[in-house]
C-alpha cells in the first residue's frame, strides 16, 4: 500500500461506498417493507373490501403516479439534490401532451411521448442550471415549479383539455386483470434499478452524492453527470403527468400541485438520504406503496382527510429519525 | 364610469389585500370584489368604507358581512336543495350517500357541506356514510370516489360539491360500472361537467350565476356612487340543470349568459 496509483484510489472509494450504501439502505427498506406489511394486515382485518381484487386494482392505479415520480426523485436525491418541480412539471406535461392529441390531432402514443418529452426539457433546464449556474437545486427547482405553474395556466386559460374515453387505457386500463400503469411502473423501476446499480453513470451518481470532492478528484465530472439525473426526473414527471391525464381522460391544469412532496416522502421513507449517496429504487417503490396504502385505507375506513396528511407527516419523521439512529450506529462501528 | 379590473392569479390572499389597498390609496369611488378569505378581507372593506368608498362583494363575502352588500349564491340553501332532490330520487327506500368536499376550511365549502347536512337531517331515509376531500382536483376526486365505491357497495348517491369532484365522481361511477345505481349530484357547469351530464353520468348540476353576481354587484356600486342610495344584496340564485332541460333556451341563457339577457 505504499505506492497507490491515482487510478486505484477511486476504485477503492467507490467499492467502500457501494458496500456501505447497500448495507444501510437495506436496513431502511426492511423497516419500510415491515410497515407496508403491518398496514396491509391491519387493513385486511379492519375492512372487508380491502383485499378484493377490485380494490387492489384501484390501489395499484392510485399508487402509480407517486411511484413513477419517486423513481425519478430517487436519482436526484442520491446526488444530494432535490427536485421540487416534478409536480408542476407533471401538470404542464399532462396538459401539453393532451393538447398534442386533442388540438394537434397526433395519435395517442405520440401525445404520450410528447408529454414525456416536455418533462425531459424541463428536467434538462433544471439540470443545466444546477450544474452550471452555481445555484443550489432547491432554488433552481423551486423557481421551475413557479414557472411551470404559470405556464400551465397560460397555455390552458385554466380550462381542462378533454380527450376521448379510450385514452384511459394508459392510466387506468387492464391487461389480464392487471392495471396497465402498474406494468409501466415495474418497467420504469427495473430500468431505473439497472441504470443505478449496473451502469457507470449510476455509480457516479452515488459517488457525486456521497462525496462530491472525492468524486471530483476521481475525475467524475459533476457538470457532465448532474444534468442527467434532472433529465431522468423530468422525463418521469412528464410520464406521471400523462398517467394522470389518462386517468381523468383530460389534461387538468390544476393537476400536480403538492405531489412532489409525496414523491420526496416516498424516497425518504424508502431509505434515500437527503444528504445524498444513499437510496434505492426498490426502497422508493415501497415508500410509494406505503403512501398509497394510507390514502386508500383512510377512505375505506372513512378517516377524515386531514388525518391522511398527519399520518404522512408522521411517517416522514419516523423514516428520517430511523435514518439518524442508523447513521450514528454506523459511525460508532466505524 | 371607468372600471379597473384587477386580481391575483390563483389563491393569493395577501396579494388581493395589497391590490385592494392600492385602489383605496388611488381613491376610487367604489370597490367590488370577491373575498378570497372572509376574515382577512373584512378590515379592507372597513377601511374603504371609512374613506367613503362604496363597497360590494360578489361570489364570496366578508365576515362579518356588516353593511357591505353581497351578491352571491346562497350556498346553504342550494346545498339543502340537493339533499331534498336526492331524497326524492331515492324514494321510497333511501339509502347510503356520500359527500365530497373540495376546499375544506373555505367558507364556500363549509356552507355547501352545512346545507347538505341540514337537508339530510330532514330525510331519515338518507344516511351519510362517507365524507372525503377531492382537493379541487379531478384526479383526487376520482381516487377518493373510487375508494368510497369500494368501501360502500350499497352507496346510492354522491353529492360532489364542486366542478372537479363532479367530474371525478362521474368518472369513478362509470369505471365501476355503477351508472344509474349510484346517482351523482354535481355543482357548477364546467365543459366536462356538462359532458358528463349529457352522457347520463350525472343526475343534475347546481349551476350558479356568476354573470349575475358580477353584473348586479357592479351595478349596485355604480348606483350607490351616483345616487348615494344603497342597493340591497341578493341570492343570485342557481339553476338545477338536468339532462332533460339542458338544451332549453332558459338554461342556455344561464350557461352562456349575455348582457342582453339582463338589460332586456
Amino acid at each position: 500500500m505504499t505506492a497507490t496509483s491515482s487510478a486505484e484510489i477511486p476504485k477503492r472509494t467507490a467499492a467502500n461506498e457501494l458496500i456501505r450504501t447497500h448495507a444501510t439502505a437495506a436496513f431502511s427498506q426492511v423497516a419500510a417493507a415491515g410497515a407496508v406489511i403491518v398496514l396491509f394486515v391491519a387493513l385486511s382485518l379492519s375492512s372487508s373490501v380491502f383485499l378484493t381484487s377490485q380494490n387492489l386494482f384501484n390501489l395499484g392505479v392510485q399508487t402509480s403516479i407517486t411511484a413513477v415520480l419517486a423513481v425519478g426523485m430517487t436519482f436526484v436525491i442520491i446526488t444530494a439534490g432535490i427536485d421540487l418541480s416534478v409536480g408542476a412539471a407533471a401538470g404542464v406535461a399532462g396538459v401539453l401532451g393532451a393538447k398534442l392529441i386533442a388540438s394537434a390531432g397526433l395519435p395517442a402514443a405520440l401525445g404520450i411521448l410528447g408529454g414525456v418529452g416536455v418533462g425531459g426539457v424541463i428536467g434538462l433546464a433544471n439540470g443545466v442550471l444546477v450544474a452550471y449556474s452555481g445555484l443550489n437545486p432547491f432554488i433552481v427547482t423551486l423557481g421551475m415549479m413557479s414557472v411551470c405553474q404559470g405556464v400551465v395556466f397560460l397555455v390552458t386559460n385554466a380550462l381542462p383539455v378533454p380527450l376521448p374515453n379510450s385514452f384511459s387505457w394508459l392510466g387506468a386500463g387492464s391487461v389480464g386483470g392487471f392495471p396497465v400503469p402498474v406494468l409501466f411502473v415495474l418497467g420504469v423501476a427495473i430500468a431505473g434499478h439497472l441504470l443505478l446499480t449496473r451502469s457507470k453513470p449510476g455509480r457516479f451518481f452515488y459517488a457525486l452524492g456521497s462525496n462530491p470532492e472525492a468524486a471530483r478528484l476521481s475525475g467524475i465530472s459533476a457538470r457532465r453527470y448532474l444534468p442527467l439525473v434532472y433529465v431522468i426526473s423530468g422525463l418521469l414527471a412528464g410520464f406521471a403527468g400523462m398517467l394522470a391525464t389518462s386517468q381523468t381522460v383530460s389534461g387538468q391544469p390544476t393537476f400536480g400541485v403538492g405531489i412532489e412532496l409525496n414523491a420526496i416522502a416516498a424516497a425518504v421513507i424508502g431509505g434515500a438520504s437527503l444528504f445524498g449517496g444513499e437510496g434505492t429504487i426498490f426502497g422508493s417503490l415501497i415508500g410509494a406503496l406505503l403512501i398509497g396504502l394510507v390514502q386508500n385505507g383512510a377512505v375505506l375506513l372513512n378517516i377524515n382527510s386531514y388525518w391522511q396528511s398527519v399520518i404522512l407527516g408522521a411517517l416522514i419523521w419516523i423514516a428520517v429519525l430511523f435514518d439518524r439512529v442508523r447513521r450514528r450506529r454506523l459511525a460508532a462501528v466505524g | 364610469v371607468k372600471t379597473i379590473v384587477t386580481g391575483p392569479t390563483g389563491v393569493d390572499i395577501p396579494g388581493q389585500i395589497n391590490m385592494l389597498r392600492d385602489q383605496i390609496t388611488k381613491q376610487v369611488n367604489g370597490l367590488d370584489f370577491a373575498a378570497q378569505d372572509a376574515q382577512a378581507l373584512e378590515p379592507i372593506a372597513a377601511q374603504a368604507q371609512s374613506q367613503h368608498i362604496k363597497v360590494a362583494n360578489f361570489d364570496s363575502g366578508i365576515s362579518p358581512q356588516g353593511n357591505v352588500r353581497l351578491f352571491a349564491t346562497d350556498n346553504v340553501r342550494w346545498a339543502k336543495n340537493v339533499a331534498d332532490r336526492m331524497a326524492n330520487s331515492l324514494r321510497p327506500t333511501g339509502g347510503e350517500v356520500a359527500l365530497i368536499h373540495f376546499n375544506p376550511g373555505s367558507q364556500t365549502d363549509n356552507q355547501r357541506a352545512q346545507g347538505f347536512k341540514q337537508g339530510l337531517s330532514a330525510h331519515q331515509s338518507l344516511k351519510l356514510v362517507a365524507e372525503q376531500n377531492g382537493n379541487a382536483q379531478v384526479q383526487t376526486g376520482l381516487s377518493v370516489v373510487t375508494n368510497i365505491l369500494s368501501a360502500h357497495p350499497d352507496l346510492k348517491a354522491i353529492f360532489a360539491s364542486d366542478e372537479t369532484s363532479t367530474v371525478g365522481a362521474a368518472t369513478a361511477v362509470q369505471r365501476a360500472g355503477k351508472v344509474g345505481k349510484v346517482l351523482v349530484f354535481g355543482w357548477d357547469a364546467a365543459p366536462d361537467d356538462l359532458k358528463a351530464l349529457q352522457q347520463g353520468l350525472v343526475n343534475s348540476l347546481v349551476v350558479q350565476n356568476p354573470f349575475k353576481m358580477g353584473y348586479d354587484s357592479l351595478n349596485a356600486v355604480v348606483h350607490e356612487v351616483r345616487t348615494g342610495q344603497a342597493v340591497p344584496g341578493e341570492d343570485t340564485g342557481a339553476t338545477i340543470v338536468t339532462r332533460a332541460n339542458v338544451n332549453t333556451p332558459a338554461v342556455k341563457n344561464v350557461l352562456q349568459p349575455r348582457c342582453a339577457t339582463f338589460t332586456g
Side-chain angles (χ1 to χ4, degrees):
Chain A
M1 288 293 284
T2 43
T4 321
S5 78
S6 63
E8 260 176 292
I9 297 166
K11 267 189 200 157
R12 298 188 87 87
T13 316
N16 286 343
E17 284 300 328
L18 201 72
I19 293 161
R20 206 177 71 94
T21 302
H22 275 281
T24 56
F27 193 65
S28 285
Q29 284 164 32
V30 169
V36 164
I37 292 168
V38 167
L39 203 54
F40 215 86
V41 172
L43 285 171
S44 312
L45 294 175
S46 53
S47 164
S48 58
V49 294
F50 175 72
L51 277 183
T52 56
S53 59
Q54 186 61 54
N55 187 58
L56 294 179
F57 183 96
N58 294 336
L59 176 66
V61 168
Q62 290 160 13
T63 305
S64 57
I65 292 174
T66 309
V68 168
L69 291 175
V71 168
M73 191 64 74
T74 309
F75 278 86
V76 178
I77 289 180
I78 282 172
T79 65
I82 193 88
D83 190 347
L84 297 176
S85 69
V86 290
V92 172
V95 295
L96 286 181
K99 272 192 175 284
L100 285 178
I101 300 165
S103 314
L106 291 185
L110 286 181
I112 293 165
L113 283 179
V116 173
V118 168
V121 170
I122 293 167
L124 182 64
N126 279 332
V128 168
L129 280 171
V130 167
Y132 290 90
S133 73
L135 294 173
N136 73 40
F138 187 94
I139 298 298
V140 167
T141 58
L142 184 69
M144 186 57 82
M145 174 165 93
S146 186
V147 168
C148 289
Q149 282 172 351
V151 167
V152 83
F153 285 109
L154 286 175
V155 296
T156 59
N157 283 324
L159 287 173
V161 183
L163 289 170
N165 270 336
S166 57
F167 191 67
S168 69
W169 183 81
L170 176 74
S174 147
V175 169
F178 215 73
V180 173
V182 174
L183 297 176
F184 278 100
V185 168
L186 291 178
V188 163
I190 290 169
H193 174 78
L194 292 178
L195 183 55
L196 266 184
T197 56
R198 300 288 157 84
S199 78
K200 202 167 71 173
R203 305 317 308 165
F204 288 175
F205 297 154
Y206 281 104
L208 283 168
S210 59
N211 192 338
E213 188 56 24
R216 193 180 65 82
L217 291 173
S218 317
I220 301 172
S221 161
R223 292 194 162 179
R224 185 159 158 210
Y225 287 99
L226 272 190
L228 208 54
V229 295
Y230 290 90
V231 170
I232 292 169
S233 176
L235 289 169
L236 291 177
F239 186 59
M242 291 313 293
L243 285 179
T245 292
S246 166
Q247 286 178 9
T248 57
V249 284
S250 55
Q252 291 287 340
T254 53
F255 174 74
V257 178
I259 59 170
E260 62 279 353
L261 296 181
N262 287 352
I264 295 168
V268 169
I269 289 168
S273 165
L274 291 173
F275 297 105
E278 284 177 32
T280 63
I281 301 297
F282 178 71
S284 299
L285 288 189
I286 296 281
L289 184 56
L290 197 59
I291 293 169
L293 277 172
V294 169
Q295 289 171 339
N296 178 261
V299 180
L300 291 189
L301 302 177
N302 200 28
I303 294 171
N304 187 313
S305 60
Y306 301 144
W307 278 110
Q308 294 173 35
S309 340
V310 175
I311 294 168
L312 183 60
L315 280 174
I316 295 171
W317 284 338
I318 293 167
V320 175
L321 279 175
F322 220 78
D323 184 59
R324 282 191 60 154
V325 172
R326 192 184 74 190
R327 280 162 181 281
R328 281 211 190 120
R329 256 191 218 147
L330 213 78
V333 174
Chain B
V1 178
K2 186 174 169 245
T3 315
I4 304 161
V5 180
T6 180
T9 53
V11 178
D12 178 4
I13 297 160
Q16 189 182 28
I17 291 174
N18 287 337
M19 288 174 169
L20 288 169
R21 267 212 190 105
D22 291 345
Q23 298 303 327
I24 293 173
T25 314
K26 278 162 67 181
Q27 286 292 319
V28 293
N29 299 111
L31 275 179
D32 183 21
F33 64 94
Q36 289 198 346
D37 183 277
Q39 270 87 26
L41 273 302
E42 194 275 334
I44 292 294
Q47 190 193 341
Q49 285 186 323
S50 74
Q51 300 185 23
H52 309 291
I53 296 171
K54 312 297 178 200
V55 185
N57 289 146
F58 64 96
D59 185 53
S60 8
I62 52 174
S63 174
Q65 192 65 43
N67 64 351
V68 174
R69 315 295 166 172
L70 173 64
F71 299 81
T73 311
D74 185 340
N75 284 297
V76 175
R77 175 182 158 208
W78 289 99
K80 215 166 147 188
N81 170 279
V82 170
D84 291 341
R85 285 184 295 113
M86 206 177 253
N88 253 331
S89 302
L90 298 177
R91 239 178 259 287
T93 53
E96 299 179 348
V97 304
L99 163 64
I100 311 300
H101 292 263
F102 60 98
N103 186 10
S106 78
Q107 200 183 28
T108 314
D109 186 308
N110 286 346
Q111 287 174 347
R112 288 180 197 168
Q114 183 199 339
F116 183 62
K117 287 176 186 171
Q118 269 179 26
L120 287 185
S121 64
H123 304 284
Q124 296 301 317
S125 63
L126 300 186
K127 191 174 161 232
L128 184 64
V129 294
E131 200 177 338
Q132 289 290 336
N133 178 18
N135 208 20
Q137 293 199 20
V138 176
Q139 204 261 338
T140 313
L142 168 64
S143 286
V144 297
V145 173
T146 301
N147 292 338
I148 289 173
L149 293 172
S150 304
H152 304 283
D154 294 328
L155 195 78
K156 292 283 186 282
I158 299 166
F159 172 34
S161 65
D162 79 321
E163 62 179 63
T164 62
S165 59
T166 301
V167 181
T171 312
V173 168
Q174 185 186 29
R175 296 232 173 103
K178 290 190 167 176
V179 177
K181 290 185 194 126
V182 179
L183 306 179
V184 177
F185 289 75
W187 196 290
D188 281 339
D192 281 355
D193 296 320
L194 288 171
K195 193 174 126 198
L197 181 83
Q198 271 152 348
Q199 289 174 338
L201 307 178
V202 169
N203 168 288
S204 55
L205 297 168
V206 176
V207 178
Q208 308 181 78
N209 214 333
F211 196 95
K212 191 172 165 64
M213 293 176 201
Y215 192 90
D216 287 0
S217 62
L218 194 63
N219 263 342
V221 171
V222 172
H223 188 263
E224 197 179 345
V225 168
R226 280 182 181 158
T227 66
Q229 283 169 351
V231 179
E234 64 188 7
D235 172 11
T236 45
T239 309
I240 307 305
V241 177
T242 63
R243 214 175 167 185
N245 72 7
V246 68
N247 289 321
T248 59
V251 169
K252 282 206 160 150
N253 270 339
V254 175
L255 296 175
Q256 292 138 16
R258 291 167 302 132
C259 283
T261 319
F262 289 82
T263 51

